[in-house]
Amino acid sequence: MTVVDAPTVRYSSEDIDRDLRWWAAANYLTAAQIYLQDNVLLREPLTVAQVKPRLLGHWGTSPGLSALYVQVNRLIRRTGTPVLYVTGPGHGGPALVANTYLEGSYSEFYPDVTEDTAGLRRLARQFSTPGGIPSHVSVQTPGSIHEGGELGYALAHAAGAAIDHPDLLVCCVVGDGEAETGPLAASWRLPAFLDARRDGAVLPVLHLNGYKISGPTVMGRQSDADVCSYLHSQGWDPVVVSGHEPAAVFADLEAALAGAHDRIRAVQDAARAGSGSGFSGVGAQVRWPAIVLRTPKGWTGPAVVDGVPIEGTQRAHQVPLAGVRENPAHLALLEEWLRSYRPEELFDGDGRLAPDVKALAPEGDLRPGASPYANGGRLRRPLDLPDLRDYAVEVQRPGAAFAPTTHPLGELFRDVYRRTTTPDGGGTFRLFCPDETASNKLDAVFEATDRCFAAAEPGEDGISPHGRVMEVLSEHLCEGWLEGYVLSGRHGFFATYEAFAMVSASMLVQHVKWLQHSVDVPWREPVSSLNVLLTSTCWRNDHNGFSHQGPGLIDTVLPLAPGVARVYLPPDANCLLAIARHCLLSTDHVNLVVADKQPHLQYLTLAEAEDHCAAGASAWTWAGNDPGGAAADGEVDVVLACAGDVPTQEALAAAEILRDRAPSLRVRFVNVVDLMALLPRQEHPHGLDEEHFRALFGDRTEVVMAFHGYPRAVHQLLHGRPAPQRFHVRGFEQQGTTTTPFDMVVLNRMSRFHLVLAVLERVGDLLPGGAELADFCEQRLRDHHSYVREHFEDLPEIRDWTWDASREGRG
């Protein structure tokens, strides 16, 4: 919605007085949530018994958040613009709860928290108490897509929500403590990636109250000129609102918000009309408005306690009066502080908000707490995916030919872009990647759209201000942009080098926690899953070396909420397609997909891949020496298992050696594509049931497994399975360098020869020629060692090995 020509509305003294009444009500309810369990409106003198036994919460940032909330309400009512309110200082949870209660949305989502005295009592009693709500701006808080407990991600989440939502204004509060984090520092780069023609806008409000929990903040101590110079250098055009006297601050803040909104709409109108600078890809970019808001920490709270300054210091950060149950003087100060807001003038005899204050709230979905942009499942529409048969790799015989595993996925993404593009040039699907889309063999997407860069210059191939592939050299931004994008109703993938996904691992963990709790919030509609593709993996970073070799994100995800976390290891391109389709259609999950970008042997037709991925794990009867097949539990001597593309190839090569040189040994070959299938069913919904698990792995059969990641990851999954000690896992052992592909598996003792030796160690007594076979493997390892150091490449019979060639003449 565009309201550029609306006349300037004078912010009268009567308007200020009414806004200050809302602010007083919000501040009062914020403090009441922290302190009170009864007598919430102070209809009688305050007693110790009416104060909570454990005082938890954060007061310091809350008054500033509420002041801005008041002005956001006024802006919405004046312009009709939908605003998403993102608060980086997540400690301000009680302020957001208070404001959504005042606007009425809280009681709509939680009908037992009624708009009366009884409801106010429930509101206060539930805060930071057992069975209640957390102290942060959590998933339970209406209007929120951002908790803020782990600092640094507010502006990235705000950006993700604004992308492809052309009418939306995201007002994002950045605390000065949060501004010290690395991810937030990178997030200021947003103007280089925001397209005024097709995206919404982000209005950052850098809230400088001077202190974090125990001392001053860097930007809080900088001059306005220095702060503004920094923001200006990042592409923003900031204005400063500063002060201690509420009426003056409110007047300045209202003017700043109104001016910022009108400038944003003017920029967008010019872009959408095809005029104005910075929209034709000639090196210019928009300089977006921003606000620097300086207010005291703990504003309107206790000024001095026991002779020690509180307001305007770090002491106001959490609970400014902590000893009220033990110290009668502090209890009296608390009551004096609470009564300073005049609750008797704000709430009537039944505990209902005064009508003149209530009237300040916007209506319906325009209330920030009721915004559908903060409950993205309301906006989400399932993807209309093309037929996977259009992208499938032809597999005439398993293991006969090589193909880049991720290339068909890039073609699928290309056509998803095409099918989801909207008439305004936006869409509902995005790929986020740290400057590696082409490197990761996903470059087919550039047939449908460009990379997004606002300052694109003529002659730069595949780069445009209107491109919709988001490449930025920050894993934090890619992850955060995608989180905001899916939480506000869209779909996407984050593709990155495997080792560097650990940069943003804690963000992924926080997102899992959000989704874990969202399923228990009935009004939260399901959102698209967060999909992370790890490629350029530890086994095939041929030219990058040890720094690029690390599969640790698997270990990070495995222990997380079983209702949310998924880990997939597709062995070939068709399995990757099947898994990607499942991920794109799923909701409320975090899907970790590990698939290398290099050419690998291809094994399964699309139909076979779909069945295999649906099963999670299955026996490849064509690869084993198992006369009875997987159903004949206990009829094999050993199970040779694998999970991952390189481990699958090495395990198949080991199976070939055993078939050729130990044909009497009965081997079952099992591939695991869904790592969570190894967990017992009672531990994870994707866990194999006992019957299926026994059909694959037996009860007592020795199992040698080649695994993509750290071996301990598999061992932790097998707890509770029959005789887990019989599983012997080979995987990445933190050995790496710049070397050949096969030398990597040798260094980590996961080569085909090491796997055969591991089999012989367990069942060698069943083989009359076991010692000779062990000697053969040891000699081949010595041959490899000499050859690669002389020729700088793998032995031809290793480098060119295929399953079909190795089985010629056997039928």
Side-chain angles (χ1 to χ4, degrees):
M1 180 180 297
T2 302
V3 191
V4 175
D5 298 326
T8 302
V9 177
R10 180 173 178 270
Y11 191 40
S12 68
S13 59
E14 290 79 10
D15 292 332
I16 295 175
D17 288 343
R18 292 174 67 204
D19 285 354
L20 289 176
R21 278 167 56 76
W22 177 294
W23 189 49
N27 288 338
Y28 180 81
L29 292 184
T30 297
Q33 288 178 81
I34 296 172
Y35 283 97
L36 302 184
Q37 61 178 336
D38 209 346
N39 189 20
V40 175
L41 287 177
L42 296 181
R43 296 294 163 80
E44 58 188 58
L46 186 63
T47 67
V48 169
Q50 294 161 351
V51 176
K52 292 177 180 177
R54 299 175 70 242
L55 300 179
L56 303 172
H58 295 76
W59 166 252
T61 190
S62 293
L65 296 181
S66 292
L68 184 60
Y69 204 102
V70 175
Q71 296 306 326
V72 166
N73 279 346
R74 180 165 290 278
L75 178 71
I76 294 170
R77 289 187 1 259
R78 179 175 74 86
T79 65
T81 297
V83 178
L84 178 64
Y85 189 62
V86 174
T87 56
H91 294 318
L96 271 293
V97 170
N99 282 282
T100 54
Y101 179 82
L102 293 175
E103 73 185 17
S105 62
Y106 200 92
S107 296
E108 292 173 10
F109 289 120
Y110 301 101
D112 60 324
V113 185
T114 48
E115 296 185 67
D116 55 20
T117 303
L120 285 169
R121 184 174 184 270
R122 291 190 184 96
L123 186 79
R125 288 179 63 84
Q126 71 178 5
F127 179 78
S128 286
T129 54
I133 62 173
S135 64
H136 286 171
V137 183
S138 63
V139 68
Q140 293 92 339
T141 307
S144 176
I145 64 167
H146 173 82
E147 177 162 344
E150 183 171 286
L151 297 178
Y153 315 129
L155 197 49
H157 286 158
I163 292 170
D164 286 328
H165 274 151
D167 293 335
L168 181 64
L169 173 62
V170 187
C171 182
C172 179
V173 187
V174 177
D176 46 0
E178 181 178 28
E180 296 179 1
T181 66
L184 199 286
S187 295
W188 293 119
R189 309 294 201 273
L190 175 60
F193 300 94
L194 205 60
D195 180 8
R197 188 180 74 178
R198 82 81 242 256
D199 295 332
V202 176
L203 176 60
V205 179
L206 178 57
H207 185 206
L208 302 179
N209 57 35
Y211 293 89
K212 42 188 182 279
I213 191 169
S214 60
T217 60
V218 174
M219 296 187 93
R221 288 291 170 88
Q222 290 179 313
S223 68
D224 289 346
D226 285 346
V227 171
C228 289
S229 292
Y230 174 74
L231 295 182
H232 193 271
S233 74
Q234 302 302 299
W236 304 95
D237 186 15
V239 297
V240 177
V241 175
S242 179
H244 183 281
E245 201 283 311
V249 172
F250 270 50
D252 291 346
L253 186 56
E254 189 276 339
L257 275 173
H261 172 272
D262 292 346
R263 286 157 57 206
I264 286 168
R265 288 310 192 210
V267 165
Q268 291 174 332
D269 281 354
R272 293 164 193 180
S275 62
S277 62
F279 311 111
S280 58
V282 292
Q285 69 181 53
V286 177
R287 195 170 294 282
W288 295 95
I291 295 173
V292 179
L293 175 63
R294 288 189 189 266
T295 61
K297 196 174 188 74
W299 199 12
T300 74
V304 177
V305 177
D306 297 334
V308 178
I310 302 296
E311 183 187 29
T313 77
Q314 74 273 14
R315 302 179 191 92
H317 183 81
Q318 291 177 305
V319 180
L321 286 165
V324 292
R325 289 178 66 91
E326 298 81 23
N327 188 328
H330 285 196
L331 181 64
L333 281 174
L334 173 60
E335 183 169 4
E336 179 184 350
W337 169 27
L338 292 173
R339 290 192 184 279
S340 72
Y341 298 114
R342 300 180 180 178
E344 69 280 0
E345 299 178 7
L346 302 172
F347 300 91
D348 67 18
D350 294 324
R352 300 185 187 279
L353 185 62
D356 67 311
V357 179
K358 183 76 170 178
L360 296 176
E363 296 181 357
D365 284 352
L366 285 177
R367 294 170 297 173
S371 172
Y373 295 98
N375 190 5
R378 290 179 57 190
L379 302 176
R380 178 185 182 272
R381 299 294 179 267
L383 284 174
D384 176 22
L385 294 177
D387 193 325
L388 291 189
R389 289 175 293 184
D390 295 337
Y391 313 94
V393 172
E394 183 179 0
V395 178
Q396 296 181 344
R397 296 184 304 276
F402 290 86
T405 297
T406 57
H407 181 73
L409 179 63
E411 295 180 324
L412 173 65
F413 286 167
R414 173 199 63 204
D415 292 342
V416 172
Y417 265 112
R418 288 171 173 167
R419 293 164 78 100
T420 58
T421 299
T422 53
D424 62 359
T428 58
F429 172 82
R430 287 286 181 115
L431 175 63
F432 302 83
C433 188
D435 192 33
E436 297 150 357
T437 303
S439 171
N440 289 330
K441 307 298 190 292
L442 300 171
D443 47 306
V445 296
F446 297 123
E447 299 170 25
T449 186
D450 294 327
R451 295 174 177 87
C452 176
F453 195 67
E457 296 183 351
E460 290 183 322
D461 185 41
I463 300 173
S464 164
H466 314 307
R468 297 184 55 246
V469 174
M470 307 303 290
E471 284 195 342
V472 59
L473 268 172
S474 166
E475 287 78 9
H476 284 122
L477 292 189
C478 290
E479 171 81 19
W481 288 351
L482 177 58
E483 289 177 0
Y485 198 68
V486 297
L487 284 170
S488 55
R490 281 72 57 76
H491 312 261
F493 250 91
F494 167 31
T496 185
Y497 283 14
E498 180 183 48
F500 304 132
M502 292 300 292
V503 171
S504 56
S506 64
M507 295 182 72
L508 185 146
V509 172
Q510 294 294 321
H511 193 78
V512 170
K513 292 182 177 183
W514 178 278
L515 294 178
Q516 179 183 353
H517 281 178
S518 71
V519 299
D520 297 324
V521 180
W523 53 268
R524 286 275 180 191
E525 297 291 336
V527 296
S528 298
S529 296
L530 184 85
N531 304 309
V532 180
L533 172 65
L534 304 186
T535 186
S536 297
T537 63
C538 59
W539 302 107
R540 291 301 308 273
N541 258 289
D542 302 353
H543 66 283
N544 282 317
F546 197 35
S547 64
H548 285 58
Q549 296 160 354
L553 193 60
I554 293 175
D555 297 67
T556 299
V557 172
L558 287 181
L560 302 178
V564 178
R566 307 284 184 266
V567 179
Y568 299 105
L569 294 160
D572 65 4
N574 288 335
C575 287
L576 177 58
L577 287 172
I579 291 296
R581 178 180 62 187
H582 168 78
C583 294
L584 286 170
L585 295 177
S586 69
T587 58
D588 288 347
H589 292 159
V590 168
N591 298 308
L592 184 65
V593 184
V594 186
D596 187 59
K597 66 184 182 182
Q598 303 289 357
H600 290 276
L601 288 173
Q602 304 297 309
Y603 309 108
L604 304 182
T605 66
L606 179 61
E608 292 169 337
E610 290 174 325
D611 289 342
H612 178 50
C613 293
S618 56
W620 291 0
T621 54
W622 51 267
N625 183 16
D626 176 8
D633 182 27
E635 292 187 5
V636 296
D637 300 313
V638 67
V639 173
L640 193 56
C642 52
D645 39 30
V646 170
T648 296
Q649 177 173 315
E650 289 307 303
L652 282 170
E656 176 214 78
I657 294 171
L658 291 171
R659 291 178 71 116
D660 283 349
R661 297 179 176 272
S664 64
L665 191 69
R666 295 169 299 175
V667 179
R668 180 179 301 142
F669 190 94
V670 175
N671 182 268
V672 178
V673 63
D674 181 347
L675 200 55
M676 300 309 196
L678 297 178
L679 281 163
R681 175 64 61 86
Q682 63 269 26
E683 299 293 333
H684 196 282
H686 283 202
L688 297 175
D689 60 42
E690 287 300 313
E691 182 180 0
H692 192 183
F693 187 86
R694 286 188 167 94
L696 293 176
F697 300 106
D699 285 312
R700 296 172 299 278
T701 309
E702 295 289 325
V703 180
V704 173
M705 183 172 185
F707 174 56
H708 175 87
Y710 296 111
R712 62 177 178 265
V714 172
H715 288 299
Q716 69 174 306
L717 296 172
L718 294 167
H719 180 74
R721 292 297 193 181
Q725 70 277 6
R726 64 195 169 94
F727 284 78
H728 312 283
V729 184
R730 295 295 177 89
F732 189 73
E733 297 180 343
Q734 205 62 23
Q735 298 298 318
T737 184
T738 303
T739 190
T740 67
F742 189 67
D743 199 43
M744 271 298 298
V745 295
V746 170
L747 289 173
N748 289 277
R749 302 188 303 157
M750 198 192 70
S751 75
R752 58 200 68 183
F753 304 118
H754 287 98
L755 295 175
V756 171
L757 289 169
V759 169
L760 294 175
E761 185 178 347
R762 272 81 199 177
V763 297
D765 56 341
L766 301 176
L767 299 175
E772 290 81 359
L773 180 52
D775 289 343
F776 165 79
C777 291
E778 296 288 1
Q779 182 58 50
R780 296 306 286 148
L781 289 170
R782 288 191 290 270
D783 294 343
H784 157 77
H785 182 86
S786 300
Y787 188 90
V788 295
R789 280 151 183 78
E790 181 177 351
H791 299 281
F792 310 141
E793 62 179 350
D794 289 323
L795 287 156
E797 58 268 35
I798 298 291
R799 185 178 65 247
D800 302 327
W801 181 88
T802 63
W803 174 259
D804 285 290
S806 70
R807 299 180 65 192
E808 279 188 39
R810 283 208 299 269

